[in-house]
Amino acid sequence: MLKQLFSVFCLLMFSVSLAQEDVTAEEKAYLEKISNANAANSKEAEIADAYNKGLKNYKIGYWTEAEKNFAKANKLNPGFTSSAYHLAMVKIELGKYTEAVTLCEGIISKDAKHVMAWYQKARAYQLNKMYLESEKAYEKPISIDKTNPKAWYNYGTLKFMVRDYEGAIKLFNKALEIKKTNAKGMDYSYPMNDRGSCYRMLGDNDKAAAD
């Protein structure tokens, strides 16, 4: 039981990886362009350097350094939303939730269907205990892309936090259903374990044990 409950609270802010699926096709094209910048003193090479350093520092948990890197890349080219997006992710890790929301809103103002910006905005609200705002934000990514398990899973953790265990189970089930057809880089033991915690809170120990 403790293991299952621990899963919800430690993984409720399931930290997404810096994967290709988290950026749009337009961003991928720009990433390729700046990565091929061959002039050491060119602006694009400088952006690429800052951005890539940000990725490396993020992956090893150097949040403050990653924040500086992504902020530099974002300043050099505010239109490159991937820098702003990853900067928002770092802000969340640093507990700067309001700043993360502002960054996500900037991205959304340019691309209302940027699924991961909506997702990170919802996470920032959730960690800041702004549950109503978080719920509204989670509705957006699942309406835009119903095949992304991350939003379904984290939306479920929000329902768990406000003690809507039946609602959480439905959302965890949706994340698990996606596994059958489209597993987007997610460990599916998370929604299963956390669904078990919901069943336990509802007094259904048999279903809890099965998970």
Side-chain angles (χ1 to χ4, degrees):
M1 177 180 179
L2 290 176
K3 181 179 179 181
Q4 289 178 318
L5 293 175
F6 183 77
S7 174
V8 170
F9 292 107
C10 287
L11 296 171
L12 89 91
M13 295 299 80
F14 177 57
S15 182
V16 299
S17 63
L18 298 179
Q20 286 298 316
E21 72 192 57
D22 293 343
V23 298
T24 65
E26 183 178 356
E27 289 167 344
K28 288 179 185 178
Y30 183 72
L31 278 171
E32 185 176 352
K33 177 183 177 182
I34 63 175
S35 294
N36 293 330
N38 53 21
N41 61 347
S42 73
K43 183 178 178 180
E44 289 180 347
E46 193 175 358
I47 295 170
D49 180 66
Y51 183 81
N52 289 326
K53 284 180 179 176
L55 293 179
K56 291 177 182 178
N57 283 319
Y58 184 95
K59 290 177 180 178
I60 59 178
Y62 288 1
W63 313 126
T64 302
E65 291 303 313
E67 181 184 27
K68 293 176 183 177
N69 299 142
F70 288 131
K72 180 179 180 179
N74 191 50
K75 183 178 181 180
L76 288 168
N77 185 356
F80 179 32
T81 54
S82 189
S83 292
Y85 166 70
H86 290 314
L87 180 56
M89 289 177 63
V90 174
K91 296 285 189 184
I92 290 174
E93 297 293 348
L94 291 170
K96 299 179 180 180
Y97 306 126
T98 301
E99 292 180 36
V101 168
T102 299
L103 284 162
C104 290
E105 288 178 341
I107 297 169
I108 292 165
S109 69
K110 299 171 184 174
D111 180 3
K113 293 187 177 182
H114 198 296
V115 172
M116 298 310 295
W118 280 110
Y119 169 73
Q120 296 299 341
K121 180 180 178 180
R123 289 183 65 230
Y125 277 138
Q126 185 175 358
L127 278 167
N128 207 23
K129 299 180 180 179
M130 299 173 68
Y131 301 134
L132 290 177
E133 292 86 349
S134 179
E135 183 168 7
K136 290 178 181 179
Y138 274 129
E139 290 290 342
K140 288 291 185 177
I142 63 176
S143 67
I144 297 168
D145 180 8
K146 292 180 171 58
T147 68
N148 192 313
K150 297 172 183 176
W152 292 103
Y153 170 69
N154 269 57
Y155 194 1
T157 66
L158 173 64
K159 291 291 188 180
F160 184 95
M161 290 179 71
V162 298
R163 301 182 181 182
D164 179 1
Y165 303 122
E166 292 181 351
I169 288 170
K170 291 178 181 178
L171 292 164
F172 292 146
N173 282 341
K174 186 64 180 180
L176 289 167
E177 286 174 13
I178 294 170
K179 177 184 178 182
K180 298 176 183 177
T181 56
N182 191 5
K184 291 188 175 180
M186 180 173 174
D187 185 339
Y188 283 86
S189 66
Y190 297 163
M192 184 170 290
N193 288 340
D194 295 342
R195 183 179 65 181
S197 296
C198 291
Y199 282 131
R200 194 172 298 279
M201 298 302 290
L202 291 170
D204 194 334
N205 293 326
D206 290 338
K207 287 185 177 179
D211 279 347

